Amino acid sequence: MVLKKLIRNPISLIGLIILLGFILVAILAPVIAPLPEDVLARNPNADPYRIPRYGFASTPTPPSKEHPMGLTEGQLDIFYGIVWGTRTAFKVGLTVISISCLIGIIIGSVSAYIGGKFDEIVMRFVDIFMSFPFLIAAIVITTILGRGLENVMLAMILFRWTGYARLIRGNVLQVKQDEYVMAARAAGVSHIVILIRHILPNTIFPVIIQASMNMGSIVVTAASLSFLGLGAPEGYADWGQMISYARNWILGAPGNPLAYWYTVVYPGLAIILFVLSWNLIGDAFRDIMDPKLQG
Amino acid sequence: MAVAKKGELLLDVRDLKKYYPITKGLFRKTVGWVKAVDGVSLQVRKGETLGVVGESGCGKTTFGLSLMQLIEPTDGKILYNHKGNWVEVNAKTIKGLRSEIQMIFQDPYSSLNPRMRVRDIIAEPLAANGVTNRTERYDRVESLLKAVGLGSHHMKRYPHEFSGGQRQRIGIARALSVNPSLIVCDEPVSALDVSVQAQVLNLLKDLQKEFGLTYVFVAHDLSVVQHISDRIAVMYLGRVVEMGDVEQIYNAPKHPYTEALLSAIPSPNPDVKDNKIILTGDVPSPANPPQGCAFHPRCPYATERCRTERPELVADENGHSVACHRAEELMLKGVDVGETA
Ligand SMILES: Nc1ncnc2c1ncn2[C@@H]1O[C@H](COP(=O)(O)OP(=O)(O)O)[C@@H](O)[C@H]1O
Ligand code: SF4
Ligand SMILES: [Mg+2]
């Protein structure tokens, strides 16, 4: 039913179509961009997230028949990187969102439901987390734990849950005053069941909307951390990494500012479309999830 | 009306208190107390309706929630006659008493979970009290819906598809589901249109007869409770200031506050001159109640003694109790029971 409404709304339909495209690309990555045969011949178990290399020249190579989006500096296949990078984007986005959302929802709702001094203490703890500048914290974490996507995700989870915790806490504080919560207690329903059956269904949707809108920004953050060299290892299929390979070529060549456009436009476009699709869907969700509008 | 006068006691509340802390600052230091319920003692007999009346903020809801242990009382005892055995109602025993004592809430818009179907709302107390078989629960819901004037075609609907009166009927069915003996009704009609109020009141009366229910019926004025109550307790700032049979309270009130509440009942006869006693000033804050008689700043009969000495609740030989220094000398104006609609 939600899906039907998403499809009927032209804005969210566009978002949905773009997202569907990304999902297809992610699923079909081994078909769309298989590892070249010579790589497989050398190592049948080669990691498909390693972008194949076609030489060592430092100047990017423009698009051609074999490499439809061209090659980066160091001759990594851009098309291949974007296709497999879609998987990376989903992996990072979904992992960070689902874990940080889960942590935030549990901590925020329990804190608000218990209330009083307990809630006060938990929220001061959340404030402390929120007052850290994220980028510095991410640098510190990856310095301690080492470079890598997992550590970048860990850093993001560590600093993302607080937003969801706050959001759901505010909603729970309101809803727990509603008389149906009293009625459930009068009926003898246990606290945990009250939280799950009565409070969460009436407070969780704004958090889910927020989370879907954040999918894009998480992928952007992951990309910028990769751009800074904190995230994915060299040669890993990751959109941020692809852009970092374009770093020296964004300004083009003397007299021809557009000489290396393909190094930045394709990965940039992938990131922009990804963010856009989630935001469009999130906006539409907001309207749909209002219970008063439900038939 | 006072048929249940000599009946067996069902509920015995002794000196019940609920103080809410007023906290300040980061560490929630307690800087004072809101004495929402400040020493209420009363008894309810089996099968009767005790009306609890007082202006908004006088502690009626707090009293009702304390009875149900939905908030923890600060002090006092609540004793309940559970099939012949007196048990103290507290956080431990309430679990076993949930199917004995139920509640109907004030706001039918906030008292039903908007995301649950009617049948699950009504069946929830059953599920929580050991009726594990779903079919059995839904069968019971069907008969409950009929009992409150709704039908089985309403089972799968959501609350927003109903009017205020219908929603209140759903709330009533929910309270009835576990076959309770005592129902605390917290202003069950005050949020409804006047035209619907009478219907719901009549339904409650019919259900009382049918199921042998006992009601503690909370209201903020004396007009609503007149026809449903056997006895009335008038509350002011967390205390009972007058209590007695309906005839005693309406015909011969002894407390100036009761007199003022009675004068506020709209008369159905337009020829009768309006003798409204306008209560001046707001209800004082229960965080900082006046010295002496808490009603003295608004009482037209207040004397020096009222400002310093608090009157205790004293019962006469007919069981009519009042907390007023001048109760014996004042000739207060009541209304004829039956004169008002
Ligand atoms: N949870 C609470 N915390 C602090 N004060 C409260 C709380 N609930 C009620 N009060 C105060 O207790 C007093 C009695 O409230 P209530 O029992 O709701 O009165 P009534 O139902 O008669 O209108 C009011 O002054 C109210 O502000
Ligand atoms: S004690 Fe005094 S102030 Fe209080 S109600 Fe009686 S006359 Fe009025
Ligand atoms: Mg109230």
Side-chain angles (χ1 to χ4, degrees):
Chain A
M1 190 202 63
V2 172
L3 199 67
K4 212 193 267 168
K5 285 187 179 165
L6 276 177
I7 290 169
R8 229 181 283 144
N9 178 337
I11 304 264
S12 60
L13 183 62
I14 294 172
L16 217 55
I17 289 172
I18 301 174
L19 183 63
L20 215 64
F22 277 116
I23 292 174
L24 277 178
V25 169
I27 293 173
L28 299 177
V31 180
I32 302 172
L35 271 176
E37 255 145 52
D38 56 316
V39 174
L40 283 172
R42 253 178 286 128
N43 175 9
N45 297 322
D47 179 5
Y49 287 95
R50 294 258 151 213
I51 307 172
R53 210 176 255 282
Y54 296 89
F56 292 91
S58 63
T59 317
T61 310
S64 63
K65 219 169 176 173
E66 301 84 68
H67 309 296
M69 293 181 182
L71 302 172
T72 62
E73 63 176 27
Q75 311 307 308
L76 297 167
D77 189 306
I78 296 178
F79 178 75
Y80 187 99
I82 285 179
V83 169
W84 285 86
T86 308
R87 281 196 172 191
T88 308
F90 276 112
K91 207 165 64 182
V92 171
L94 290 175
T95 311
V96 172
I97 285 286
S98 55
I99 298 180
S100 56
C101 226
L102 194 71
I103 296 174
I105 285 172
I106 292 173
I107 292 182
S109 62
V110 169
S111 173
Y113 186 68
I114 293 174
K117 282 202 177 93
F118 179 79
D119 180 46
E120 201 80 28
I121 292 166
V122 172
M123 282 306 121
R124 291 297 83 78
F125 185 69
V126 167
D127 287 345
I128 293 170
F129 262 92
M130 286 189 119
S131 63
F132 271 113
F134 170 71
L135 212 56
I136 292 173
I139 291 170
V140 170
I141 288 175
T142 47
T143 316
I144 297 171
L145 300 176
R147 174 180 179 160
L149 264 187
E150 286 75 20
N151 295 336
V152 163
M153 287 197 276
L154 186 72
M156 285 198 282
I157 289 167
L158 229 44
F159 288 89
R160 278 279 177 180
W161 67 270
T162 53
Y164 304 123
R166 269 205 179 165
L167 185 58
I168 198 147
R169 172 183 176 263
N171 297 338
V172 172
L173 283 180
Q174 238 172 26
V175 164
K176 82 168 188 177
Q177 307 286 345
D178 283 346
E179 282 182 349
Y180 60 80
V181 174
M182 276 291 179
R185 289 185 49 212
V189 180
S190 68
H191 289 301
I192 184 81
V193 175
I194 289 180
L195 202 56
I196 292 168
R197 190 189 296 159
H198 292 279
I199 293 189
L200 286 183
N202 286 291
T203 52
I204 208 168
F205 288 111
V207 181
I208 290 176
I209 292 161
Q210 185 68 48
S212 69
M213 308 260 267
N214 284 350
M215 270 296 278
S217 73
I218 278 179
V219 168
V220 169
T221 310
S224 33
L225 291 174
S226 286
F227 185 81
L228 292 175
L230 300 173
E234 288 279 335
Y236 194 87
D238 173 87
W239 296 341
Q241 172 106 261
M242 307 289 298
I243 291 191
S244 79
Y245 287 128
R247 192 187 330 231
N248 298 324
W249 311 97
I250 290 172
L251 295 179
N256 183 5
L258 298 179
Y260 304 110
W261 63 273
Y262 49 91
T263 58
V264 65
V265 166
Y266 288 123
L269 211 59
I271 293 176
I272 289 169
L273 285 176
F274 193 82
V275 173
L276 187 71
S277 69
W278 284 104
N279 281 353
L280 294 179
I281 292 170
D283 267 342
F285 254 141
R286 203 200 320 260
D287 303 336
I288 290 168
M289 286 307 175
D290 190 340
K292 272 149 237 138
L293 301 178
Q294 267 175 31
Chain B
M1 201 172 278
V3 279
K5 201 168 181 174
K6 294 270 150 16
E8 196 184 348
L9 280 189
L10 182 66
L11 184 71
D12 186 0
V13 179
R14 295 186 188 169
D15 204 22
L16 188 69
K17 291 180 182 161
K18 176 62 194 182
Y19 295 176
Y20 293 109
I22 306 168
T23 58
K24 246 198 183 135
L26 186 60
F27 298 103
R28 297 185 160 252
K29 231 179 86 185
T30 302
V31 294
W33 300 92
V34 177
K35 301 181 174 180
V37 172
D38 193 16
V40 169
S41 297
L42 50 79
Q43 279 104 35
V44 185
R45 295 188 189 90
K46 252 179 207 169
E48 78 169 354
T49 297
L50 173 73
V52 176
V53 178
E55 284 164 291
S56 175
C58 75
K60 306 178 301 290
T61 296
T62 304
F63 175 69
L65 295 177
S66 303
L67 288 184
M68 306 276 314
Q69 297 292 313
L70 291 175
I71 51 182
E72 195 189 346
T74 309
D75 199 9
K77 261 199 170 80
I78 302 161
L79 300 168
Y80 182 80
N81 182 353
H82 191 203
K83 303 187 171 93
N85 299 315
W86 284 97
V87 276
E88 186 175 344
V89 182
N90 56 35
K92 282 198 199 85
T93 57
I94 190 64
K95 254 201 167 135
L97 293 171
R98 289 279 180 228
S99 49
E100 279 291 310
I101 314 175
Q102 274 296 312
M103 186 156 183
I104 299 168
F105 293 86
Q106 179 169 6
D107 180 1
Y109 290 90
S110 140
S111 67
L112 308 178
N113 184 340
R115 292 186 189 273
M116 275 168 79
R117 292 180 197 277
V118 165
R119 60 178 186 192
D120 296 311
I121 291 173
I122 296 175
E124 185 163 51
L126 288 171
N129 286 280
V131 184
T132 47
N133 183 317
R134 183 199 281 252
T135 328
E136 189 183 336
R137 290 202 299 263
Y138 286 166
D139 285 349
R140 174 117 180 89
V141 169
E142 263 193 273
S143 68
L144 284 164
L145 279 172
K146 279 200 194 88
V148 299
L150 297 170
S152 49
H153 58 288
H154 292 123
M155 297 265 290
K156 289 189 188 169
R157 306 240 179 113
Y158 285 94
H160 69 87
E161 299 172 56
F162 295 89
S163 68
Q166 287 175 315
R167 281 163 165 257
Q168 203 54 302
R169 285 168 195 266
I170 296 168
I172 292 169
R174 168 174 61 193
L176 285 177
S177 65
V178 286
N179 248 325
S181 302
L182 175 66
I183 299 187
V184 178
C185 313
D186 185 9
E187 303 204 36
V189 299
S190 68
L192 305 178
D193 288 345
V194 179
S195 56
V196 184
Q197 288 191 355
Q199 295 169 14
V200 174
L201 279 176
N202 285 333
L203 171 68
L204 285 169
K205 264 202 261 188
D206 294 344
L207 292 170
Q208 181 168 39
K209 243 181 256 154
E210 192 178 339
F211 297 109
L213 300 167
T214 305
Y215 288 151
V216 169
F217 193 104
V218 169
H220 62 257
D221 64 43
L222 278 165
S223 61
V224 167
V225 287
Q226 180 176 346
H227 298 289
I228 196 164
S229 302
D230 302 294
R231 289 193 310 130
I232 304 276
V234 179
M235 275 182 80
Y236 192 76
L237 282 188
R239 295 170 154 262
V240 174
V241 295
E242 181 167 6
M243 187 157 50
D245 293 344
V246 164
E247 293 85 351
Q248 292 169 338
I249 297 288
Y250 283 78
N251 296 344
K254 286 186 174 183
H255 197 284
Y257 181 57
T258 312
E259 183 189 41
L261 288 179
L262 285 171
S263 77
I265 299 178
S267 169
N269 183 351
D271 298 336
V272 174
K273 260 254 214 73
D274 230 314
N275 287 323
K276 229 179 220 174
I277 301 170
I278 310 285
L279 283 172
T280 50
D282 284 332
V283 186
S285 156
N288 189 14
Q291 290 279 308
C293 172
F295 188 54
H296 86 251
R298 303 166 80 192
C299 180
Y301 312 106
T303 62
E304 197 44 46
R305 187 182 173 203
C306 306
R307 279 179 262 280
T308 52
E309 192 184 327
R310 186 154 75 188
E312 292 302 322
L313 192 68
V314 182
D316 69 9
E317 62 275 17
N318 300 318
H320 183 176
S321 24
V322 62
C324 171
H325 293 309
R326 305 189 60 193
E328 295 308 316
E329 52 180 300
L330 293 173
M331 291 301 293
L332 301 179
K333 201 169 169 309
V335 294
D336 234 351
V337 179
E339 180 204 330
T340 56

